[in-house]
Amino acid sequence: MPEPSVVAVFADLREEGRELDSLVGGLAGSEWARPTPAEGWSVAHQIAHLHWTDRAALLALTDAEGFAREVEAALEAPDSFVDEGAEEGARLAPAELLARWRAGRRELDRALAAASPDARFPWYGPPMKAASMASARLMETWAHGQDVADTLGVRRVPTARLRHVARIGVRARDYAYAVRGLAAPAGEFRVCLLYTS
């Protein structure tokens, strides 16, 4: 797949966040507690998880040692640290959670834009460049946003932003085999995205 421009992926991440924000920004407090398709997670858990992972990405971009401590904590509770992070944020009042998520998105956007495009930053998997980190954040925002949309009965229209989600899947294909101790299939493969607006 062709390499999208760094500016494009940052702009698309901002737009994906705005789209999800438009779904949750006007929700009544009780609607934040509605269960989503992710078992045990409410709308608040979905947004709290996005806020939590945005904060982790910001830490990775700005404080490698601090991020290393976060990874150590995650390794101590590999089966629960993601849920614990979502649960902590979901306990906040919806207005507070929404304000924190919005502020975190702005901070992350600034850090991504300021990052050297060739530098690799630590992550829970292999280190990533800022553009790849933005693609990963977009993928999470899109996926958790779909859970929220499904819960609210909103049909989302696919956008060209999904090319970043497909690209990260294609690029991570061989890594996915490797972490499971398997050899990736030999030969080329092709991914073609078709969408209508």
Side-chain angles (χ1 to χ4, degrees), residues 6-197:
V6 171
V7 172
V9 71
F10 295 167
D12 284 348
L13 173 59
R14 283 192 300 275
E15 189 56 35
E16 196 68 29
R18 278 194 291 266
E19 183 179 294
L20 178 54
D21 197 315
S22 73
L23 290 180
V24 299
L27 291 180
S30 61
E31 292 182 286
W32 285 77
R34 288 179 63 178
T36 66
E39 188 176 339
W41 279 27
S42 65
V43 170
H45 285 86
Q46 300 284 352
I47 300 303
H49 173 70
L50 289 173
H51 174 54
W52 181 83
T53 48
D54 283 348
R55 280 190 345 232
L58 179 64
L59 193 61
L61 289 164
T62 60
D63 181 1
E65 290 180 11
F67 182 76
R69 289 190 294 275
E70 289 292 313
V71 171
E72 287 174 17
L75 290 173
E76 291 176 11
D79 297 328
S80 62
F81 82 102
V82 170
D83 287 327
E84 289 167 2
E87 182 63 37
E88 179 183 339
R91 288 193 294 264
L92 296 170
E96 177 67 18
L97 174 56
L98 185 60
R100 288 186 187 193
W101 178 52
R102 286 172 173 168
R105 286 177 13 230
R106 287 190 299 270
E107 282 185 85
L108 179 58
D109 183 54
R110 286 191 294 269
L112 286 165
S116 167
D118 296 320
R120 291 191 177 273
F121 299 93
W123 195 239
Y124 297 102
M128 293 190 280
K129 292 182 179 179
S132 294
M133 181 141 334
S135 293
R137 299 306 317 128
L138 192 150
M139 179 264 305
E140 285 239 25
T141 305
W142 169 76
H144 292 285
Q146 189 62 54
D147 276 347
V148 171
D150 288 347
T151 300
L152 301 176
V154 173
R155 183 181 180 281
R156 297 168 81 198
V157 177
T159 72
R161 295 189 301 269
L162 293 180
R163 72 190 185 280
H164 303 293
V165 178
R167 185 171 184 277
I168 206 168
V170 167
R171 290 181 57 100
R173 173 184 172 259
D174 290 355
Y175 176 74
Y177 279 93
V179 297
R180 286 161 182 77
L182 302 171
E188 293 184 21
F189 68 100
R190 183 171 182 252
V191 173
C192 181
L193 298 180
L194 300 174
Y195 71 97
T196 58
S197 56

